[in-house]
Amino acid sequence: MALQCGIIGITNVGKTTIFNCISNTKVDTNAFAFSATKSNIGVVQVPDKRLYELEKHQVTEKIVSTTIEIVDIPGLAKGSNKGEGVGNKFLGDIRNTDALIHVLRCFDNDALPHIDGSVDPVRDMETIDLELQVKDLESIEKKIERLKRAAKTGDKEALLGLDVLEKFRDHIGNFNNARSLQVKDDEKKYVDDLFLLTMKPVMYICNVDEKSAVHGNHYVESVRESLKGSSSEMLIIAGETEAEIAELENIEDRIAFLKDAGLAEPGVDKLVRTAYKLLNLQTFFTVGPKEIRAWTIKKGMTAQQAAGVIHSDLERGFIRAEVMKFNDFIALGSEHACKEAGKFLIEGKNYIVGDGDILHIRFNV
Ligand SMILES: Nc1nc2c(ncn2[C@@H]2O[C@H](COP(=O)(O)OP(=O)(O)OP(=O)(O)O)[C@@H](O)[C@H]2O)c(=O)[nH]1
Ligand SMILES: [Mg+2]
């Protein structure tokens, strides 16, 4: 199953606008609060300039990017945990995602009133966090009750679990997100089964007006300030500008538009790459005259598991992997040159694949 990144935030902050740019779809966006009634799922190509570097050294018929799934979830509001706005249902959609893209409104627009009366991205962030925290507390309390019953019968494991869950309850009860609690690896298992919403890795998107696309604005500064000391990433994106760029069919027009806006690449490209990292994913390549292709694996996967991403036969009949590092291949310019330089490696099934590895799997079924 593909890993999913969910776009969350208050209603009318530009989630669907950004989703449309990255997924090349045309879901209706409008200025009515809570007009969206279902989540949109898009398969999004992960932009990777390395594919075009590889093409310089290998003539090929086509280039295939790897993809991730992005889900655009309708806006939450204060009280969503009790069914306010469009409510509970969407908290369930968030539960199914593996990482979160939290969009914050950082633009003024008198024609588009804010649901809470004023533009204040830090307040919005806290509103959403609180909704998720309330949900998490519910799940934790339920499990605590269950474990308490088991602990009465002398179940040692239940006692250990209780200890960890109570730590989480106190932490989240003090308006913190689960992800910021430091716990030992062997303690994590007591909450893993709860799929806590505030445990999911998150990145913040400041949605700004066009003139703030490069340097941000005072709203962005307030977000930056509030994220000080946290490990979460923050990106600035001019949603409406990005939407205009995405409208342009012609690549030269796009480049000219980007240049005018002072951008080196579409902001959404960086967004998708960051989401990919957030999901703890990395890429390996296959390179040949028929196609040059990027494939997705989880960090830490072995050569045999990576072979299985291409085809189950390759995993089942795995013999060995021939590996070239991306940088070696680009620097030396060909497989032959890599061989001469001792940079063509023969690896077994337990080899841990590195980001950017060029693999050729030898197999026999
Ligand atoms: N000025 C300005 N308007 C924007 C920007 N991004 C989105 N909008 C407008 O804001 C309105 C809502 O945008 P959507 O993308 O539908 O917002 P949403 O967050 O998906 O809203 P819900 O699905 O209701 O939660 C639309 O009228 C957009 O044109 C922006 O960067 N600048
Ligand atoms: Mg929407």
Side-chain angles (χ1 to χ4, degrees), residues 9-18 28-36 72-75 107-109 112 207-209 238-240:
I10 299 278
T11 185
N12 265 344
V13 294
K15 296 182 297 300
T16 302
T17 304
I18 290 171
D28 190 31
T29 63
N30 64 56
F32 299 109
F34 307 123
S35 57
D72 167 36
I73 299 167
F107 61 85
D108 288 310
N109 181 357
L112 185 71
N207 187 14
V208 299
D209 50 282
E240 282 214 317

